Amino acid sequence: MSTMTDPPKADFRLSMLINDTRYRSLTFQVIAAIVIALSIWYLGNNLIQNLRAAGLNISYSFLGDSAGYDINQRLVEYDSQSSHARAALVGLLNTLLVAFLACITATVFGVIAGVLRLSNNWLVSKLMAVYVEIFRNIPVLIWIIIIFTIMTAVLPPPSAFRGENPTSSMLFGSFAFTNRGIYFPRPEFANGLFASAALNWLLVIAVLIGSWFVSGEVEKRATKKQEETGERPATLLPKLAIWLVPFVLLMIIMGLTWDVPELKRFNFSGGLNAGGPLIALWFALSIYTGAFIAENVRAGIQAISKGQTEAAAALGLRQGRIMKLVILPQALRVIIPPLISQYLNITKNSSLAIAVGYADITATLGGITLNQTGRAIECVLLLMLFYLTASLLISTGMNIYNASVKLKER
Amino acid sequence: MSDQATNPIAFVAEGTIPPSPPPANETGVIKWLRENLFSGVVNSILTVLSLILIYILLKNTLPWILNGVWNANSLAECREILGDKTGACFAVLTERWPQLIYGFKYPVDAYWRPNLAFVLMLVAIAPVLFFDLPRKMLLFTAVYPFLAFWLIWGGTILVPLVALVGCIAAGGVFQKLGNNSFAAGFFGAIVTALVIWNVGGALIPEGASENAWLSAVPSRDLGGFMLNMMLGVTCVSLSVPLGIALALGRQSNMPLIKWVCVIFIEFIRGVPLITLLFVASVMLAYFFPPDSTVDLFLRVVIMITMFSSAYIAEVIRGGLAALPRGQYEAADSLGLDYPQAMRLIILPQALKISIPGIVNVAVGLFKDTTLVSVISMFDLVGMIRGPILASTEWNGVYWELLGFAALLFFVVCYGISQYSQWLERRLATDHR
């Protein structure tokens, strides 16, 4: 677009507002601003009138009221007397829990399926193609319902574990797979260093993070030694010691015991319980998203030039090691950006929990709380705010990771 | 030496040896098996494992499918017919077929209307999908939405007629003014359409729908797979133009417009569709004028369209960014203004690049229409989970129903993705 070097200043005509490139964008933006302001005013005005007609007002005070409903799958203390805010927190943690678990397993499924789909084995690659196509072309809601139905239909009810000759028995005497969920032992500290269990667990995590740092340091030192002298000192034993010794010591000091689930009158009690809805949702999300990740992995592997495989083969590497040492490390850099959006999809799709009755934030805040209090606007806004924040955090975190692993070129 | 002169070579072949067949394990089935299934120890193990997997799957499903009962009135009757054989009870599909497809409230004597609308949709969509068909058919495509609305919802024909007249008049105004200045044409067309719709809407008599040729069907009576199809088709076709506008807005160098588009797109992409459907079902009504009643179907269409247009906008933005800079400069150097450059040079190429992405979004959107069952609309999944499984006759036939739903979605979605691959090959103009 050419600009005049010396535009005539005096004779400004009204038509220049739309025909002159210097003013046109300004004109359009002013029009746009007016249109946006008018529509916001119109919508806001309608909202105020409607709310007044319905006798409502926008207020978040309901969050402090007692919720009055029970949630059986929870990570923090909660009972029906707790507040709606507490219920929302339970739901929020449940969403994060299932999203976190599903991200890990979906990645595992996806990478395996994506690699196998490129296998030389005709049968295996066709099977994987069928897996990918079937899962990609059927709605995730149907998968969640199907897998939930399989679980409740195939696994035995808790009553099958009872009686003289129970039809099913617990695995190792401590794991019970029932149609109401999986019961497994819970680690407990007999004489913990802190009064609250959460602080004890934080201590365990802190120790593990410490071990991770120290073992990273050992690794670094070994690499440095190798660069200087050409000999790599053995790191396996020191690293094992660094990981195990503090951990085991801590466990002994705090007195680790296991709370094993037991069959009481109608159901198992004690131990930890992963409810059927959680397992079904977790599995369905992983296997569904796994199919998408498999396609990303396949595209990533195919993006690596064939010369890399041939060069690796010329060095005498075997098929499996070529994949592990040469192709996958390079392909992962191509795979990570789409992987980020798949993780976001998992987080967002976990809101389908409402279909199987898993108490995630959509089911607590957007479901029961909304229906009980009738605070539709407040609840939906809070819900959106949560998902927006989660999405932003995930994508920021993964983008930082992506920036650190992507190919450094000139 | 002399010996050699008389008998130079002991043996000379007089004819060519006929080519012998390759070794048995280098031809045909055996070679293929060796190369593709048993080329190594690991591969052989994988093959055997896959065969075992396939065997287990078939052993458990085949008798179930083959023994299926197709004629019965309830699950108990199915079980009676089956005796102690394992088998599916497909009778639920034959008995509840109309409900699965049309929902449970759509008037039975009006089933021909959605059927006709569906057949006409195939005709209307054909010239859009296949370019070799005569271009005149696009005229029917333009009329189709109004026709389909009238067929499915029934009521007075005046409503779609007024809408159609408004659109035709707007198109005429755009033709007339748009030659001179795109902006004048665009705004002129919008004003014309609004005027005609308002005036025409006021002219339609109050009880026109009551004695209409086609009895009126309220939106809440729609259901079944028909609802999924309607939501999918409507929202995809509405969200493509909206997505284009959003993508162009995001690329614009006017800061206000750019930031409005960015915020809209990022907001929509950051929240799950379910929350948007909650907005449609519990919140959106508050934003309409107090005396108006906007039915749930329309509110859901608005939210799903917003949802998918944000995703389509990002796909098209990718297409716009993939175009070489030279194309933009060439358009400028020809003296084309922005709308002309976009319409004639940039968008056709950018859209071509974006086709696979748009189809991906469309398939995803079509699958996501099942989520409306969460806000208690009785689409296919809603029908299965609600009325059918809750009925006394069919309580407990999960597999047949869910399998049917899965199959139906698979056929449609797989078909769309195959079409997109065909289109991609067809449009490929790069290095062949």
Side-chain angles (χ1 to χ4, degrees):
Chain A
M1 300 208 181
S2 57
T3 42
M4 283 186 169
T5 46
D6 187 17
K9 286 186 183 110
D11 49 344
F12 176 81
R13 295 180 311 279
L14 209 57
S15 65
M16 280 167 73
L17 279 181
I18 197 155
N19 290 331
D20 192 318
T21 49
R22 284 169 301 167
Y23 305 114
R24 189 163 56 188
S25 73
L26 209 63
T27 321
F28 281 147
Q29 289 187 69
V30 170
I31 294 177
I34 293 173
V35 169
I36 292 168
L38 275 180
S39 29
I40 289 177
W41 174 81
Y42 175 74
L43 296 177
N45 198 26
N46 284 336
L47 178 66
I48 292 169
Q49 280 188 18
N50 284 317
L51 286 182
R52 195 179 299 144
L56 288 169
N57 59 334
I58 301 272
S59 136
Y60 287 92
S61 58
F62 70 95
L63 285 175
D65 298 347
S66 166
Y69 58 88
D70 265 324
I71 302 176
N72 50 16
Q73 180 84 49
R74 53 180 184 257
L75 292 175
V76 291
E77 293 296 312
Y78 174 86
D79 59 53
S80 58
Q81 294 310 306
S82 307
S83 64
H84 282 296
R86 188 84 182 168
L89 176 72
V90 172
L92 190 154
L93 290 176
N94 278 346
T95 296
L96 293 180
L97 172 73
V98 74
F100 177 71
L101 292 175
C103 282
I104 295 174
T105 39
T107 314
V108 174
F109 287 162
V111 171
I112 292 176
V115 171
L116 283 185
R117 199 173 169 185
L118 291 173
S119 151
N120 293 330
N121 192 317
W122 182 84
L123 200 59
V124 172
S125 71
K126 281 287 172 285
L127 267 184
M128 286 303 142
V130 169
Y131 158 70
V132 167
E133 290 300 340
I134 283 185
F135 276 87
R136 271 159 46 99
N137 285 313
I138 293 173
V140 60
L141 181 63
I142 294 185
W143 281 122
I144 292 175
I145 298 171
I146 286 183
I147 288 172
F148 185 57
T149 318
I150 294 183
M151 266 204 61
T152 42
V154 169
L155 292 175
S159 61
F161 291 80
R162 197 175 3 186
E164 293 292 307
N165 293 311
T167 43
S168 10
S169 56
M170 292 167 82
L171 193 66
F172 307 126
S174 43
F175 291 84
F177 296 87
T178 75
N179 62 0
R180 291 205 207 158
I182 298 175
Y183 296 84
F184 50 95
R186 175 175 56 187
E188 270 184 352
F189 300 117
N191 39 1
L193 300 180
F194 301 99
S196 99
L199 279 179
N200 282 328
W201 280 111
L202 272 184
L203 183 68
V204 173
I205 293 172
V207 166
L208 285 180
I209 291 177
S211 302
W212 183 61
F213 265 111
V214 177
S215 82
E217 206 53 44
V218 168
E219 186 82 3
K220 236 185 254 168
R221 198 162 293 171
T223 312
K224 205 172 156 210
K225 184 97 183 279
Q226 186 181 20
E227 277 164 6
E228 279 167 2
T229 64
E231 269 177 40
R232 189 176 182 83
T235 56
L236 188 67
L237 276 180
K239 270 166 80 178
L240 262 180
I242 289 168
W243 278 105
L244 283 182
V245 172
F247 185 72
V248 172
L249 270 180
L250 187 72
M251 289 299 138
I252 293 172
I253 291 172
M254 300 212 296
L256 178 75
T257 52
W258 296 90
D259 178 19
V260 179
E262 267 178 287
L263 191 62
K264 290 283 166 61
R265 242 182 303 161
F266 292 110
N267 207 342
F268 285 92
S269 70
L272 280 176
N273 168 23
L278 167 64
I279 305 282
L281 185 69
W282 173 19
F283 192 64
L285 282 180
S286 338
I287 199 163
Y288 176 80
T289 316
F292 287 83
I293 294 180
E295 284 295 85
N296 295 337
V297 169
R298 182 172 70 111
I301 291 175
Q302 282 177 334
I304 305 304
S305 80
K306 192 141 175 53
Q308 296 285 324
T309 320
E310 289 165 350
L315 286 177
L317 292 180
R318 269 178 282 118
Q319 195 72 47
R321 310 203 82 195
I322 293 179
M323 188 49 88
K324 198 175 118 204
L325 296 174
V326 179
I327 305 299
L328 268 186
Q330 296 184 66
L332 279 179
R333 295 172 168 144
V334 186
I335 295 167
I336 282 171
L339 204 58
I340 299 175
S341 55
Q342 292 303 340
Y343 288 168
L344 292 178
N345 278 344
I346 288 184
T347 312
K348 288 187 278 173
N349 279 339
S350 69
S351 59
L352 290 175
I354 199 167
V356 287
Y358 174 63
D360 78 328
I361 191 164
T362 313
T364 56
L365 182 65
I368 310 176
T369 295
L370 190 154
N371 286 335
Q372 276 188 7
T373 59
R375 296 275 174 195
I377 296 176
E378 295 90 334
C379 285
V380 173
L381 282 183
L382 281 179
L383 204 55
M384 286 183 162
L385 189 70
F386 161 71
Y387 280 109
L388 267 183
T389 323
S391 299
L392 277 178
L393 286 180
I394 292 175
S395 71
T396 318
M398 292 299 287
N399 278 329
I400 292 172
Y401 176 64
N402 183 28
S404 74
V405 298
K406 81 172 177 210
L407 271 186
K408 274 128 190 125
E409 293 183 47
R410 275 163 295 160
Chain B
M1 294 296 268
S2 62
D3 232 24
Q4 269 190 348
T6 52
N7 251 339
I9 301 164
F11 171 77
V12 173
E14 297 194 340
T16 48
I17 302 169
S20 51
N25 57 4
E26 285 298 324
T27 54
V29 183
I30 296 175
K31 179 186 183 220
W32 186 87
L33 280 178
R34 249 167 51 100
E35 283 188 353
N36 290 302
L37 297 182
F38 299 101
S39 61
V41 180
V42 183
N43 256 343
S44 308
I45 295 172
L46 279 176
T47 305
V48 173
L49 285 181
S50 315
L51 285 175
I52 293 173
L53 180 74
I54 294 174
Y55 172 74
I56 293 174
L57 283 178
L58 288 184
K59 189 185 142 215
N60 287 313
T61 52
L62 266 189
W64 185 76
I65 294 174
L66 292 179
N67 285 338
V69 176
W70 289 90
N71 277 310
N73 284 321
S74 70
L75 185 59
E77 215 177 304
C78 266
R79 294 217 172 106
E80 222 165 85
I81 295 173
L82 279 170
D84 38 317
K85 283 186 294 183
T86 50
C89 181
F90 294 119
V92 64
L93 301 181
T94 46
E95 212 236 0
R96 293 298 173 107
W97 172 258
Q99 291 196 353
L100 288 168
I101 300 298
Y102 307 100
F104 63 114
K105 279 194 204 146
Y106 203 84
V108 179
D109 55 350
Y111 281 166
W112 64 273
R113 282 155 48 182
N115 288 346
L116 181 63
F118 179 73
V119 173
L120 290 180
M121 181 192 81
L122 298 181
V123 180
I125 233 170
V128 181
L129 297 187
F130 304 100
F131 318 114
D132 301 334
L133 294 171
R135 295 289 81 191
K136 287 253 171 65
M137 281 177 74
L138 281 173
L139 273 179
F140 179 71
T141 311
V143 178
Y144 175 75
F146 308 99
L147 189 60
F149 171 82
W150 184 55
L151 278 174
I152 291 175
W153 274 272
T156 170
I157 196 172
L158 289 175
V159 174
L161 216 55
V162 167
L164 179 62
V165 169
C167 288
I168 292 175
V173 169
F174 179 77
Q175 282 283 331
K176 198 133 204 185
L177 296 179
N179 282 339
N180 201 359
S181 145
F182 180 84
F186 182 70
F187 291 116
I190 290 180
V191 171
T192 316
L194 285 178
V195 167
I196 291 185
W197 288 338
N198 274 315
V199 173
L203 285 180
I204 296 175
E206 195 66 22
S209 290
E210 273 150 31
N211 299 320
W213 294 336
L214 300 179
S215 58
V217 179
S219 299
R220 62 174 181 278
D221 288 359
L222 303 173
F225 193 61
M226 179 177 80
L227 187 63
N228 293 112
M229 287 291 282
M230 284 162 60
L231 283 173
V233 173
T234 320
C235 296
V236 167
S237 42
L238 287 178
S239 61
V240 169
L242 200 59
I244 294 175
L246 280 171
L248 290 178
R250 194 170 178 165
Q251 295 281 59
S252 158
N253 43 21
M254 295 182 243
L256 178 76
I257 290 177
K258 180 178 172 182
W259 283 108
V260 168
C261 292
V262 168
I263 291 172
F264 178 84
I265 291 174
E266 294 304 327
F267 175 76
I268 296 279
R269 277 160 42 94
V271 298
L273 181 56
I274 286 224
T275 58
L276 293 179
L277 289 176
F278 281 158
V279 170
S281 78
V282 296
M283 201 173 140
L284 201 59
Y286 286 120
F287 289 103
F288 288 108
D291 47 343
S292 70
T293 49
V294 181
D295 70 34
L296 184 59
F297 182 82
L298 183 60
R299 282 182 274 153
V300 166
V301 164
I302 291 176
M303 292 319 288
I304 298 186
T305 304
M306 279 166 69
F307 180 77
S308 61
S309 65
Y311 285 83
I312 288 185
E314 285 298 273
V315 170
I316 294 177
R317 184 166 73 112
L320 288 172
L323 272 196
R325 183 95 201 98
Q327 295 290 326
Y328 291 86
E329 291 164 351
D332 280 347
S333 72
L334 284 175
L336 300 180
D337 61 8
Y338 180 79
Q340 287 172 328
M342 286 299 145
R343 217 172 45 197
L344 301 172
I345 295 186
I346 308 297
L347 277 181
Q349 303 183 62
L351 289 180
K352 196 183 83 183
I353 304 174
S354 332
I355 282 175
I358 294 179
V359 173
N360 250 342
V361 175
V363 170
L365 171 74
F366 182 61
K367 290 189 295 173
D368 281 347
T369 55
T370 52
L371 301 199
V372 297
S373 63
V374 172
I375 54 166
S376 54
M377 282 173 94
F378 291 101
D379 75 318
L380 182 59
V381 176
M383 281 305 297
I384 291 174
R385 274 157 51 88
I388 296 185
L389 278 181
S391 67
T392 46
E393 298 96 354
W394 299 113
N395 192 351
V397 252
Y398 300 100
W399 305 112
E400 294 80 354
L401 290 167
L402 289 172
F404 170 72
L407 185 71
L408 212 49
F409 274 96
F410 180 82
V411 168
V412 176
C413 295
Y414 192 70
I416 301 175
S417 69
Q418 290 300 309
Y419 163 76
S420 117
Q421 287 180 12
W422 172 83
L423 190 62
E424 236 178 292
R425 285 195 296 275
R426 174 73 210 281
L427 287 177
T429 45
D430 50 346
H431 38 110
R432 262 183 290 188

